[in-house]
Amino acid sequence: MSQLPAPGDERTLYVLDVSGYVFRAYHALPDLANSKGEPTHAVFGTLNMLRKLLAQQTPAYLAVAMDSKLPSFRHTLYEQYKANRPPAPADLSQQMARVRQIITAYRICCLEHEGVEADDLIASLVREARRRDLQVVIVSADKDLLQLVDKEVWMYDTMRERVFGMEEVKAKLGITSAQVRDYLALTGDASDNIPGVPKVGPKTAVSLLEQWKNLDGIYAHIGQIKRSALRASLIAHRSDAYLSYQLVGLKDELPLELDWASLRYNGPDADALATLFKELEFSRPSEAVPPSPVSVDSEHVTTVARLRASAEELRGAEALLIATLGTAGAPGTLFAMGVAPFVAGTVGAVKAIAMTPAFDGSMGGQEVREVLGPLLEDVAVPKYSASVKHDSLALASIGIAPRGWAFDAMLASYVLEPDRRGHDLASLAERHLNLALRDDRALLQSLVSERQTSLAGDAQDFGAAAQTLAERVTAIAQLAPRLIDRIAQAELTGLLSDVEIPLALVLADLERTGIGLDTDHLDTLSKEVNAQLGVLEAKCHELAGQVFNLNAPRKLEAILFDHLKLPVIKRTKTARSTDHSVLEQLAIEHPLPAVILEHRTLAKLKSTYLDALPKQINPQTGRIHTCFNQAVAATGRLSSSDPNLQNIPIRNAVGRRIREAFVPQSGWWLLSADYSQIELRILAHLSQDPELLQAYRTRQDVHARTAEAIFGVSPEAVTAPMRAQAKTVNFAVIYGQTDFALSRHLKITRAQAKNYIEAFFLKYAGVKQFMEQVVEHTRAHGYVRTLLGRRRPIADIQSSNRNLRMQAERIAANTPIQGSAADVMKVAMLRIHDALREQDKQSRMLLTVHDEIVLEVPEQEKNPVETLVKEAMENAVPLSVPLKVEVGFGRNWGEAH
């Protein structure tokens, strides 16, 4: 396997295809903008790539190449070159200009010439570097540049962490790097609209080049090609092949006129970068240099004697800083813990504690529990953590239930910047402190045995673990005052300390408890679904008039658009799209797309749940233990993963039967408590719309009242289909759907959808006024709040891009409703959890899914726990209208809901 030259190698030049990285980041990352509405996500992605390269490879020589805005010689050769590419979006060009500024501030030599593509500049630079006996690393993912790879030239794709040397080119394409140009000339390139030769795909091209080496060799032996259709195509498209050969070839003799001293990389202009980062609102330190390692003072505690002494030293601390290293899933196994005293804002020596088992066999979890348990469970001693949930789960595995949690770095970051990704400690340390933490996951993998129940290393290995724990504790200590101060300024202290941190402990309990699974039921259902898939596949073949592979996108594309002549709705870079939204629209034209959608839905349910869930049962508990994600959704909603139990479709028959597989322990019941129309009730409270308030206070059917308005009928004339459509309209307004989206959902015209929305706002004028006020407030302040004060910045509210601005307005109007529903749900969970403990109930919460809470209840507690749950949920947060909760019991989740 090819490896890059050693970091800092004096014979190595790194050259970046920066235009390619900007383009990739633009399409790969979610939209991001500063408070002025300037788009920044492509800049941010490119910057991260650059910083990572500088930190890891410390290049001695460095250059970047950028594409010209003007046409190149290839456009002169072939007018249709890149003709299928749409014009660059305005926000991409804007970000490209920012990237140029960043390259300048980093003092990196930039190659850019009018009428010359970056690939040709790179090729010329590589040729000149090789003349000077320099090695070259091309930082790119462009397959055209694989032509340049040789024994001392590599291509490095930093996004996928792949290095392409001569062996990797051969493995990827089946040819040598010297044959890449011929290969591309034969296959063509749809992204650049390079024609190639019809009937010559990758496999055929490789076969031809294996036999005759290059394009000239193929045409010199054209008569020896046995496949008549292939031979005819090659003959008919000879001119296309040689035209393509010219188009894909790289010009490597451009006069670069370089001062080679300018390629030596000597670091950035810190002041210039600081100014740029401030304008772009990137949370990086002003020096903007590659992150530094953490310097810490740590002690390895591996004996009970030292543990007792350490406990005494920790007792006088104002607060304790805690980090754990190990698995945190149920039942969980803790391998090591770092604890440090936090006094007057300073960090004492970090006590890195090894346990279960210790290397000399003298100390394990029991000893740690006996010595440290009382201190960690003392509510009067504040505890600071990177993730309260993770550390609580880890410590619970040795019988310690810490109390007094005062700070959670992940949750603090999340409530401050809910739209940002990367709230883990390593990301926060780099973003706020410019510190580079070790990868604890990689370390753990090297330390833990295959069973994940013991440390596989020796004392030297634990030294690395101890250092990692010490670094994490130190980072928590430095982050805490910064984030706590920002949280206070943003008036989010109560949300963090009274809701999010306590909820993390509740979620830890849910994860540790898990839920039972009836595998026999799933096995039976899987077989039934498999039979249904066979029937649907046969029906697809019948409707198409031929047998085809439903899972082959290109074949499906040909069936829909070439064979059935259905209209092309949208295109990807290389093909006509057959995604879900396209098939939904095509289903109006022909029955085949609808059957394909049904087949896809069933196949996904089978693979995601029916076949996968039994494999995710914990062998020690016999239950499923999902992970609840508290710092992901910008609205404040919880999500779940490994497995995701929140995406099981309730309106789908198979989805409902999947829920039947979730069961309580033997002899117990599952209780499902579900808020009824919580978002509409919150909307009534927030908007104070008289119609909505009256409807809920007098227990009228809100969906029926909306039906009266949009259809213009009396209450007696409202039918079930009318009510169903009105229900869709109600929630469409909440989620800010456009008339186009509503028309597709209801399968009506856009004009009808528009009339429905207008009728809704005419009926509920207070709602319209409320939403307009929210948008105006957001436009003036840049953020929106929920009932509990949760704050969500809306950067694009001032964007010059109309689509981004309108989307931001919809998010602004929806967030107080959806975010407040999330707030109410979290408070309800806290109230239920506390009430169950106070009343000493055996019942326990198992799941939360959207507006539903699922509990496991013994027979004798059914009535009191039902009352407890209803009271906790219906009185979670005082509103102007009553909250209503529907409760059901069952021997499985499906029966209970």
Side-chain angles (χ1 to χ4, degrees):
M1 185 174 68
S2 297
Q3 293 185 337
L4 296 177
D9 185 277
E10 286 290 325
R11 280 192 58 239
T12 305
L13 164 69
Y14 283 77
V15 55
L16 281 65
D17 172 18
V18 78
S19 299
Y21 270 96
V22 176
F23 189 80
R24 289 173 78 188
Y26 179 83
H27 289 286
L29 298 179
D31 290 340
L32 182 69
N34 62 17
S35 60
K36 299 180 181 65
E38 179 185 354
T40 59
H41 62 286
V43 185
F44 186 73
T46 306
L47 175 64
N48 279 346
M49 179 279 300
L50 179 59
R51 296 182 81 248
K52 178 181 175 183
L53 180 77
L54 293 173
Q56 293 183 351
Q57 304 304 324
T58 57
Y61 295 92
L62 179 61
V64 303
M66 301 191 78
D67 281 326
S68 165
K69 298 176 184 177
L70 297 180
S72 72
F73 75 93
R74 295 178 179 86
H75 294 88
T76 304
L77 279 174
Y78 183 49
E79 287 185 6
Q80 297 304 307
Y81 178 63
K82 296 187 178 181
N84 55 356
R85 290 194 184 182
D91 59 333
L92 174 58
S93 302
Q94 187 178 359
Q95 293 185 77
M96 191 71 79
R98 280 294 198 183
V99 169
R100 285 187 178 89
Q101 292 177 340
I102 285 175
I103 296 300
T104 301
Y106 265 105
R107 296 194 286 214
I108 299 171
C109 177
C110 183
L111 305 178
E112 186 176 17
H113 293 283
E114 295 297 349
V116 178
E117 293 186 45
D119 288 3
D120 300 309
L121 293 168
I122 292 171
S124 298
L125 186 60
V126 168
R127 185 181 181 92
E128 184 60 31
R130 298 298 295 122
R131 284 175 180 164
R132 295 169 180 262
D133 196 33
L134 290 176
Q135 305 174 112
V136 183
V137 177
I138 303 166
V139 184
S140 176
D142 187 346
K143 63 180 181 297
D144 292 357
L145 293 170
L146 293 175
Q147 299 174 59
L148 302 174
V149 170
D150 69 17
K151 62 182 180 180
E152 289 195 301
V153 177
W154 302 267
M155 189 169 86
Y156 177 32
D157 181 354
T158 58
M159 286 190 178
R160 296 183 176 88
E161 280 298 322
R162 294 190 65 185
V163 177
F164 289 92
M166 298 176 74
E167 292 179 10
E168 287 76 18
V169 174
K170 181 74 173 178
K172 177 180 174 66
L173 300 178
I175 54 172
T176 67
S177 54
Q179 293 175 307
V180 170
R181 183 176 182 182
D182 304 272
Y183 171 88
L184 295 173
L186 289 165
T187 61
D189 187 341
S191 64
D192 287 342
N193 204 34
I194 292 173
V197 178
K199 299 189 184 303
V200 179
K203 290 183 179 179
T204 302
V206 169
S207 177
L208 291 169
L209 292 170
E210 280 179 347
Q211 199 165 5
W212 290 298
K213 307 303 180 189
N214 54 39
L215 200 60
D216 289 340
I218 292 168
Y219 278 103
H221 298 85
I222 194 73
Q224 298 177 36
I225 295 176
K226 295 179 180 179
R227 287 168 48 196
S228 58
L230 174 60
R231 184 174 65 251
S233 184
L234 283 164
I235 293 170
H237 294 277
R238 178 179 180 130
S239 60
D240 287 337
Y242 278 99
L243 171 63
S244 299
Y245 186 79
Q246 288 181 279
L247 293 172
V248 300
L250 303 178
K251 280 198 170 186
D252 62 359
E253 290 286 6
L254 296 173
L256 297 176
E257 300 177 359
L258 274 177
D259 174 8
W260 276 81
S262 68
L263 297 178
R264 169 70 72 168
Y265 183 65
N266 295 310
D269 179 338
D271 291 339
L273 275 180
T275 300
L276 276 173
F277 288 173
K278 186 175 181 179
E279 292 174 4
L280 294 165
E281 298 176 9
F282 290 167
S283 300
R284 297 287 188 190
S286 60
E287 62 269 28
V289 297
S292 306
V294 186
S295 176
V296 293
D297 179 14
S298 65
E299 176 191 356
H300 306 180
V301 180
T302 55
T303 66
V304 175
R306 268 314 301 156
L307 182 66
R308 294 189 188 282
S310 296
E312 291 303 315
E313 294 169 22
L314 292 168
R315 287 188 196 283
E318 295 174 4
L320 293 181
L321 303 158
I322 298 175
T324 58
L325 180 64
T327 58
T333 301
L334 177 62
F335 305 115
M337 172 175 62
V339 188
F342 196 47
V343 181
T346 60
V347 186
V350 179
K351 312 298 179 181
I353 302 160
M355 64 195 80
T356 321
F359 299 109
D360 58 4
S362 63
M363 186 176 73
Q366 181 178 347
E367 289 85 0
V368 175
R369 179 174 63 253
E370 291 173 356
V371 176
L372 282 187
L375 181 60
L376 295 177
E377 293 177 351
D378 185 350
V379 71
V381 180
K383 319 294 188 308
Y384 289 24
S385 167
S387 170
V388 164
K389 186 179 69 143
H390 178 279
D391 291 343
S392 296
L393 281 167
L395 289 164
S397 68
I398 56 169
I400 296 177
R403 297 192 302 159
W405 292 108
F407 176 75
D408 182 313
M410 177 184 72
L411 295 178
S413 173
Y414 169 65
V415 297
L416 282 168
E417 300 180 282
D419 280 299
R420 183 190 282 276
R421 294 186 180 182
H423 300 292
D424 59 285
L425 186 62
S427 297
L428 297 180
E430 183 181 356
R431 188 155 71 238
H432 296 287
L433 309 173
N434 207 36
L435 296 177
L437 300 185
R438 300 177 190 221
D439 186 345
D440 58 343
R441 292 166 299 180
L443 174 64
L444 185 61
Q445 189 174 9
S446 69
L447 290 176
V448 180
S449 67
E450 291 182 2
R451 290 180 141 196
Q452 290 195 339
T453 56
S454 64
L455 286 169
D458 54 19
Q460 183 177 359
D461 293 323
F462 181 64
Q467 180 69 9
T468 296
L469 288 164
E471 290 177 2
R472 293 177 68 81
V473 165
T474 303
I476 295 166
Q478 293 183 36
L479 281 167
R482 296 170 185 244
L483 295 182
I484 289 172
D485 183 56
R486 288 183 59 194
I487 283 169
Q489 291 178 17
E491 299 178 340
L492 292 166
T493 303
L495 179 69
L496 179 64
S497 60
D498 299 338
V499 178
E500 295 295 353
I501 290 179
L503 183 70
L505 299 174
V506 174
L507 295 177
D509 279 352
L510 266 65
E511 289 185 18
R512 190 167 52 251
T513 302
I515 188 169
L517 195 70
D518 184 344
T519 55
D520 291 339
H521 175 82
L522 284 179
D523 182 59
T524 300
L525 185 54
S526 180
K527 291 172 181 174
E528 291 177 16
V529 168
N530 200 51
Q532 290 179 48
L533 288 171
V535 171
L536 290 172
E537 186 173 17
K539 189 174 182 180
C540 287
H541 295 161
E542 180 186 348
L543 290 169
Q546 60 181 278
V547 175
F548 68 101
N549 183 355
L550 273 65
N551 298 315
R554 299 292 74 82
K555 184 60 181 175
L556 178 58
E557 177 190 358
I559 292 288
L560 294 176
F561 305 119
D562 299 330
H563 178 62
L564 296 178
K565 307 297 183 185
L566 295 177
V568 176
I569 305 297
K570 67 179 180 180
R571 295 179 181 272
T572 66
K573 295 177 185 177
T574 58
R576 295 161 291 184
S577 175
T578 58
D579 69 12
H580 187 92
S581 63
V582 167
L583 292 180
E584 278 188 328
Q585 294 182 66
L586 292 179
I588 301 171
E589 308 277 340
H590 194 278
L592 175 60
V595 183
I596 292 169
L597 281 173
E598 188 177 356
H599 185 279
R600 283 184 181 178
T601 300
L602 278 182
K604 185 173 182 180
L605 287 175
K606 184 175 185 297
S607 63
T608 305
Y609 297 109
L610 302 180
D611 299 338
L613 284 176
K615 299 173 185 175
Q616 294 176 287
I617 294 175
N618 186 296
Q620 296 182 49
T621 66
R623 292 162 77 95
I624 288 280
H625 299 267
T626 187
C627 174
F628 290 100
N629 306 307
Q630 198 175 350
V632 173
T635 58
R637 287 277 191 183
L638 297 170
S639 65
S640 81
S641 56
D642 303 319
N644 181 351
L645 300 183
Q646 300 208 342
N647 279 2
I648 303 174
I650 189 65
R651 294 181 179 84
N652 177 287
V654 174
R656 289 193 293 274
R657 291 189 63 190
I658 290 172
R659 288 186 170 217
E660 293 172 1
F662 292 90
V663 295
Q665 70 180 64
S666 179
W668 287 37
W669 295 83
L670 287 187
L671 179 156
S672 169
D674 198 0
Y675 276 116
S676 172
Q677 300 175 7
I678 184 172
E679 289 173 333
L680 281 169
R681 293 172 189 270
I682 285 172
L683 176 60
H685 170 81
L686 292 173
S687 68
Q688 290 294 297
D689 178 83
E691 287 281 341
L692 278 179
L693 290 173
Q694 182 188 16
Y696 281 118
R697 286 169 177 170
T698 57
R699 299 189 177 184
Q700 296 182 42
D701 186 336
V702 171
H703 299 322
R705 291 189 67 159
T706 302
E708 295 171 32
I710 66 176
F711 292 107
V713 297
S714 64
E716 302 79 24
V718 174
T719 64
M722 287 180 178
R723 183 186 181 279
Q725 287 202 319
K727 180 179 179 179
T728 301
V729 172
N730 282 338
F731 288 105
V733 170
I734 285 178
Y735 286 98
Q737 281 190 3
T738 62
D739 52 14
F740 175 71
L742 181 61
S743 69
R744 284 178 53 189
H745 195 88
L746 291 178
K747 296 180 173 56
I748 58 178
T749 66
R750 286 188 68 175
Q752 283 178 295
K754 184 179 180 182
N755 289 338
Y756 285 179
I757 293 172
E758 288 176 350
F760 175 96
F761 283 124
L762 193 61
K763 173 78 172 176
Y764 307 112
V767 171
K768 185 174 185 180
Q769 183 180 10
F770 161 72
M771 289 184 167
E772 288 174 346
Q773 288 172 348
V774 169
V775 170
E776 285 306 311
H777 176 277
T778 309
R779 189 172 287 117
H781 298 87
Y783 64 86
V784 64
R785 287 193 186 270
T786 67
L787 271 175
L788 296 190
R790 185 181 305 279
R791 172 172 158 157
R792 182 178 183 182
I794 311 288
D796 290 331
I797 198 73
Q798 299 281 10
S799 176
S800 57
N801 182 311
R802 182 176 180 273
N803 290 334
L804 290 177
R805 188 174 65 254
M806 291 181 67
Q807 181 184 19
E809 291 174 359
R810 289 192 292 272
I811 291 172
N814 163 255
T815 294
I817 305 164
Q818 194 176 5
S820 295
D823 289 346
V824 171
M825 192 66 168
K826 289 178 175 180
V827 172
M829 291 179 68
L830 292 172
R831 289 173 63 99
I832 292 171
H833 187 266
D834 291 346
L836 289 173
R837 285 192 171 184
E838 289 167 5
Q839 297 181 28
D840 198 26
K841 300 296 184 187
Q842 291 179 272
S843 300
R844 51 202 186 174
M845 276 192 289
L846 304 183
L847 296 175
T848 173
V849 179
H850 306 308
D851 303 327
E852 177 186 10
I853 298 174
V854 179
L855 291 87
E856 190 171 39
V857 182
E859 177 72 38
Q860 68 274 16
E861 290 183 2
K862 284 179 68 177
N863 290 335
V865 169
E866 178 180 0
T867 301
L868 177 156
V869 168
K870 280 181 68 73
E871 178 175 336
M873 293 178 71
E874 291 181 345
N875 296 287
V877 175
L879 298 180
S880 304
V881 297
L883 285 169
K884 182 182 177 184
V885 174
E886 297 172 350
V887 176
F889 285 94
R891 295 297 186 182
N892 61 61
W893 187 11
E895 189 180 295
H897 186 76

